[in-house]
Amino acid sequence: MTRPKRPTVYDVAREAGVAASTVSRAFGNPRRVNAATRTHVLEVAERMGYHPSPLATALQSGRTATVAMLVPDIANPHFFGPIRGAERRAAAAGITFILGFTEESADAERDQIARLSRSVDGFVLASSRLPADAAAELAREHNLVLVNREVEGMPSVVVDNASGSAQIVDHLASLGHRSLVYLSGPHASWLAGERWRALSTGARARGMAASRLGPFAPQVAGGGAAADAALVSGATAVVAHNDLLAIGILRRLAERGVRVPEQVSVVGYDDIFGADLCSPALTTLAGPQEEAGRAAVEILLTAGAQHASGDGPRRLVLPSHLVIRESTGPAPA
Amino acid sequence: MTRPKRPTVYDVAREAGVAASTVSRAFGNPRRVNAATRTHVLEVAERMGYHPSPLATALQSGRTATVAMLVPDIANPHFFGPIRGAERRAAAAGITFILGFTEESADAERDQIARLSRSVDGFVLASSRLPADAAAELAREHNLVLVNREVEGMPSVVVDNASGSAQIVDHLASLGHRSLVYLSGPHASWLAGERWRALSTGARARGMAASRLGPFAPQVAGGGAAADAALVSGATAVVAHNDLLAIGILRRLAERGVRVPEQVSVVGYDDIFGADLCSPALTTLAGPQEEAGRAAVEILLTAGAQHASGDGPRRLVLPSHLVIRESTGPAPA
DNA sequence: GTGAAAGCGCTAACAG
DNA sequence: CTGTTAGCGCTTTCAC
């Protein structure tokens, strides 16, 4: 591997018979250069194989043309959508995309932000585990956009959990269920709180009993304990914090000889890859997760304009819809 | 969001009563500074909240402390392992991790490499779609390490497909199958070639008939056409290019009322998330994918030492093993 | 519209 | 072991 010496603005300037600053403008400020000059400079640059150094540009201008996305755990297929959407949007804008995993830890999140802050223009925080005050604090010094998390004063894009949870309750009620139990995710999870709130509100409105158990690890492995606890509760419908947990519950139920949906109905959140593979196929709340990642980067890229407009931070709520498969059915008589 | 002015080497130098270069050394070349001086400088820096600018360091030194990983498609859970392993290894070394998706296109791969080459110290190419000569060509100017791909003269780490494919043939033979069909992945896929070679060699050694069909899209959606083609072939065992395709095949077979494994046995590759969820659960070749990603970054980070040692590029082959689930059974009588 | 000059924050010789 | 001196490649005033 040998790195050939690359041409600089000066090389191009000399060759094109202009000043280095003109070359710079030709690339970065097209309108501040005579069109003809610009074309000529670009031709020469092309011929010489010149490409601006992102590093030097960033050092001088302060703009890095890079965004970072921080995700709790890549092993959860749920994050595919947001990651992919964010990467695509960044790539489309010629923006470099940095990905970091935080292992479900708020500290790791903080560390990564600190470490990367000089190298990026902003961060997309997916399902951030940061406490609201810590997030708001960080938002003062960094450009942050939240995905599937909301914090007062910060821009965010979420898939609608309130309406989604209401859809779940409606579905269950229409099947004759009189009680449900929510098997909750981590305490630090904002989503868990949101979901429970909407679920219990909706249940009350329909005269259903609702209880919350947990926290459980939001992974397939967490399903054992969750299923056992759910059975004890006596509820005929269980709503799991996410599909991973729901799949784990399905397994445990099968092991214990409990039939789904005849004896118990099971619902998940996210509609991850695999939700329609398991048996019975999982009823779950789906949403435009890829779009959420895309929109987050979009907001990041237009952050300057937003601030200027004085509208306050943007908050996007994307519509969700319940996908009904085989894991939900009429309440047992 | 406001970026407070950050202290520079000069600020720290003044405060600590040393030269800027000493501050620089205290951080970058610990051994070239008196231990006491270093401690003092570090203390002052700490107190002032100084952190070196990665950009400036990179611009001056040429070392970016960043690696990029390029992956064909994030929608394929197979890549979770390598991505996660690579990210973790990078994070452990304090290296920034850039992730890019290439949408299964060799051109996109080339473009990304060109675009990022100034910003990173090297690339990990997962299941690269580049033709061997193009890859070798690029390797002359860039620091590249391949994952699940081998090219003469380039460092690589692969999960053992030869032995793995032999394990598959053995398993099938032991169940009494006399014929198998390989449902191949994309023509540009090196793995597809490797797998077919090993499969056909193994089959010949055992007196089994083996044929290859395809290419098929290595996704669940590709399973329809693949299953139909397999059925026509008359083989009692089908080996799919990867688990995604295998899962698609399982579905199509179920739709057509073909019982697995009673009438046909199905085997996949990769043991992705979901392989044990589907029904019947999939028999598939598993390997330490996360370790592969980890090792690739490891090689990248020690590339300098490797070159110096004159051993030639490192080639790691990680052991694979067949996970037998429910999709394979005795050949029909 | 274009050029000259002054750095962005850091490291790498080269002296001492 | 430490200080001095030049830049890395680019953008950005400020003149013209």
Side-chain angles (χ1 to χ4, degrees):
Chain A
M1 194 214 73
T2 58
R3 299 201 182 261
K5 204 170 144 297
R6 300 167 182 277
T8 74
V9 260
Y10 289 101
D11 299 324
V12 177
R14 192 180 329 107
E15 194 75 10
V18 298
S21 47
T22 300
V23 176
S24 172
R25 288 185 195 108
F27 279 89
N29 281 56
R31 23 189 74 204
R32 292 203 195 170
V33 190
N34 179 305
T37 315
R38 177 174 136 82
T39 313
H40 175 226
V41 169
L42 259 28
E43 271 175 20
V44 173
E46 169 72 34
R47 177 156 44 79
M48 299 177 75
Y50 167 80
H51 294 283
S53 154
L55 256 31
T57 302
L59 179 58
Q60 161 62 30
S61 71
R63 285 169 274 108
T64 62
T66 303
V67 299
M69 180 171 199
L70 266 27
V71 167
D73 177 18
I74 203 206
N76 184 345
H78 159 60
F79 293 110
F80 282 16
I83 292 176
R84 184 188 220 188
E87 194 276 345
R88 287 204 169 168
R89 182 64 187 86
I95 299 286
T96 297
F97 182 75
I98 290 178
L99 182 65
F101 304 125
T102 60
E103 318 288 344
E104 303 279 355
S105 144
D107 286 341
E109 224 170 311
R110 245 197 225 87
D111 289 351
Q112 294 243 37
I113 291 174
R115 240 180 49 65
L116 292 172
S117 83
R118 315 276 295 247
S119 315
V120 306
D121 292 335
F123 295 87
V124 173
L125 268 28
S127 300
S128 173
R129 267 34 170 169
L130 289 169
D133 54 348
E137 172 70 28
L138 284 167
R140 264 201 284 287
E141 295 197 2
H142 307 279
N143 218 340
L144 307 180
V145 176
L146 303 172
V147 171
N148 287 331
R149 170 76 190 271
E150 286 179 331
V151 168
E152 181 63 32
M154 294 178 65
S156 58
V157 19
V158 303
V159 169
D160 194 344
N161 274 278
S163 134
S165 300
Q167 291 176 50
I168 291 175
V169 175
D170 288 351
H171 172 59
L172 260 15
S174 73
L175 287 170
H177 291 271
R178 307 294 306 150
S179 62
L180 68 81
V181 56
Y182 175 57
L183 301 175
S184 183
H187 268 322
S189 167
W190 172 84
L191 271 183
E194 288 296 298
R195 287 170 178 173
W196 168 239
R197 177 169 351 194
L199 246 18
S200 54
T201 305
R204 197 172 314 121
R206 285 200 163 37
M208 285 174 73
S211 62
R212 177 189 197 176
L213 298 174
F216 298 101
Q219 296 150 9
V220 175
D228 292 347
L231 251 22
V232 170
S233 80
T236 58
V238 332
V239 181
H241 174 68
N242 69 8
D243 286 351
L244 250 22
L245 184 61
I247 289 172
I249 289 170
L250 250 24
R251 283 204 181 167
R252 177 63 175 168
L253 256 20
E255 276 173 28
R256 293 192 49 178
V258 179
R259 279 168 300 127
V260 176
E262 291 79 5
Q263 294 173 266
V264 178
S265 284
V266 176
V267 182
Y269 281 90
D270 295 345
D271 192 25
I272 61 170
F273 173 87
D276 59 339
L277 259 35
C278 58
S279 156
L282 192 63
T283 291
T284 181
L285 188 70
Q289 300 293 350
E290 183 165 337
E291 170 62 17
R294 210 199 58 72
V297 170
E298 181 82 42
I299 292 176
L300 217 43
L301 297 182
T302 58
Q306 286 305 317
H307 270 240
S309 75
D311 290 340
R314 283 182 66 180
R315 287 185 173 223
L316 236 56
V317 178
L318 271 21
S320 58
H321 64 276
L322 191 60
V323 176
I324 294 166
R325 299 207 179 90
E326 309 159 357
S327 66
T328 46
Chain B
M1 196 215 75
T2 58
R3 300 202 181 258
K5 202 170 148 293
R6 299 167 182 279
T8 74
V9 261
Y10 289 102
D11 300 323
V12 177
R14 192 180 330 107
E15 193 75 10
V18 298
S21 50
T22 300
V23 176
S24 172
R25 289 184 194 109
F27 280 88
N29 281 56
R31 23 189 76 204
R32 291 201 196 172
V33 190
N34 179 305
T37 316
R38 177 174 136 81
T39 314
H40 175 226
V41 169
L42 259 28
E43 271 174 20
V44 173
E46 169 72 35
R47 176 155 46 78
M48 299 178 73
Y50 167 80
H51 293 282
S53 155
L55 255 32
T57 303
L59 179 59
Q60 160 61 28
S61 71
R63 285 169 273 109
T64 60
T66 302
V67 300
M69 180 171 198
L70 266 27
V71 168
D73 178 17
I74 202 207
N76 184 344
H78 159 60
F79 293 109
F80 282 17
I83 292 175
R84 185 187 219 189
E87 194 276 345
R88 287 203 168 169
R89 183 64 187 84
I95 299 286
T96 297
F97 181 75
I98 290 177
L99 181 65
F101 303 124
T102 61
E103 319 289 342
E104 303 279 355
S105 143
D107 286 341
E109 222 170 312
R110 246 196 226 88
D111 289 351
Q112 295 244 35
I113 291 174
R115 239 179 49 65
L116 292 172
S117 82
R118 317 275 293 249
S119 316
V120 306
D121 292 335
F123 295 87
V124 174
L125 268 29
S127 300
S128 174
R129 268 34 173 170
L130 290 168
D133 54 348
E137 173 70 28
L138 284 166
R140 263 201 286 286
E141 295 197 4
H142 307 279
N143 218 341
L144 306 180
V145 176
L146 303 172
V147 171
N148 287 331
R149 171 76 190 269
E150 286 179 331
V151 169
E152 181 64 33
M154 294 178 65
S156 59
V157 19
V158 303
V159 168
D160 194 344
N161 275 279
S163 135
S165 299
Q167 291 175 51
I168 291 175
V169 175
D170 287 352
H171 171 59
L172 258 17
S174 73
L175 288 170
H177 291 271
R178 308 294 306 150
S179 61
L180 69 82
V181 56
Y182 175 57
L183 301 175
S184 184
H187 267 322
S189 167
W190 171 85
L191 271 183
E194 288 295 296
R195 288 171 176 171
W196 168 240
R197 177 169 352 192
L199 246 20
S200 55
T201 305
R204 197 173 314 119
R206 286 200 162 38
M208 284 173 75
S211 61
R212 177 189 198 176
L213 298 174
F216 298 102
Q219 296 149 10
V220 175
D228 292 347
L231 251 22
V232 171
S233 80
T236 59
V238 331
V239 181
H241 175 68
N242 68 10
D243 286 351
L244 250 21
L245 185 60
I247 289 171
I249 290 170
L250 250 23
R251 284 204 180 165
R252 178 64 175 165
L253 257 20
E255 277 173 27
R256 294 192 48 179
V258 179
R259 279 169 300 126
V260 176
E262 291 77 4
Q263 294 173 265
V264 178
S265 285
V266 176
V267 182
Y269 280 90
D270 293 346
D271 192 24
I272 61 170
F273 172 87
D276 58 340
L277 259 33
C278 57
S279 157
L282 193 63
T283 292
T284 181
L285 187 70
Q289 299 293 349
E290 184 166 337
E291 169 63 16
R294 209 199 59 72
V297 170
E298 179 83 43
I299 292 176
L300 217 43
L301 297 182
T302 57
Q306 286 305 316
H307 270 240
S309 74
D311 289 340
R314 283 182 67 180
R315 288 186 173 220
L316 235 56
V317 178
L318 270 22
S320 58
H321 65 278
L322 191 61
V323 176
I324 294 167
R325 299 206 179 91
E326 309 158 359
S327 66
T328 47

